[in-house]
Amino acid sequence: VVRGVGGSPGKRLSTEAPLPVLLALELLESVLAGQQLSTFTMPDLTVALRDAVCPVIVRRLRGSPDFVEAVRLYRIVGVLIGRWSREVPDECEVFLSILVEAFEAAGDVASGDWRLALPIEVVQETVRHPEAVDALLDLESRTRTVTINGVLE
């Protein structure tokens, strides 16, 4: 699925054509949002998130996606921040900086620009989950400690 998001054909797919990017994004969101998944039941999932999934999502978000792709990418970012921030804190910090960049680039709230609406939806969804807010606060305090002490913990 991650290869499909990146535009490459998947290894285990029996088709000759690559998996359409939008379908791959939908599948990825479904897998990550699954309630039954955790890094305790699937320890390799954290490694896959860190090494494959998050870099592809960052690359596609920074590549000026169109509206349809951006909706799916931001939904995945919301799931990653909301449910996986303790497992991939550094990657979620990158996603938060992308959200801030999107706020700054979008301009006026009254303009109705979807480039602003999508990141706002991610933030709105994130604050609905107390565990996600706790993880983000932990991340912020870790970042502050690094800045104050000048070293990584």
Side-chain angles (χ1 to χ4, degrees):
V1 171
V2 174
R3 287 177 182 253
V5 170
S8 303
K11 285 186 175 182
R12 295 189 178 162
L13 295 175
S14 60
T15 63
E16 301 213 3
L19 187 64
V21 172
L22 296 178
L23 176 60
L25 289 170
E26 289 286 338
L27 290 172
L28 185 57
E29 180 191 2
S30 294
V31 168
L32 293 175
Q35 293 288 338
Q36 71 279 10
L37 294 178
S38 75
T39 55
F40 297 113
T41 59
M42 300 180 70
D44 293 338
L45 187 55
T46 300
V47 175
L49 287 173
R50 208 172 269 134
D51 295 345
V53 174
C54 291
V56 169
I57 300 302
V58 168
R59 192 168 42 253
R60 294 200 77 88
L61 275 173
R62 292 219 164 122
S64 300
D66 63 8
F67 174 75
V68 176
E69 183 178 353
V71 167
R72 287 161 176 81
L73 289 168
Y74 278 115
R75 283 193 303 193
I76 291 170
V77 167
V79 170
L80 287 168
I81 291 173
R83 297 188 184 188
W84 299 95
S85 55
R86 293 204 190 275
E87 288 81 2
V88 287
D90 296 333
E91 291 75 6
C92 286
E93 189 173 344
V94 171
F95 292 135
L96 290 172
S97 70
I98 289 173
L99 291 173
V100 170
E101 290 169 10
F103 292 142
E104 291 172 348
D108 185 21
V109 176
S111 69
D113 190 2
W114 62 265
R115 288 171 193 83
L116 180 60
L118 295 177
I120 288 174
E121 286 182 9
V122 171
V123 172
Q124 180 184 11
E125 184 61 31
T126 300
V127 297
R128 288 183 184 172
H129 302 286
E131 65 279 357
V133 174
D134 287 344
L136 292 176
L137 291 173
D138 289 346
L139 180 63
E140 191 274 333
S141 70
R142 186 186 81 170
T143 303
R144 181 175 292 167
T145 302
V146 169
T147 304
I148 292 170
N149 295 336
V151 295
L152 291 173
E153 292 185 328

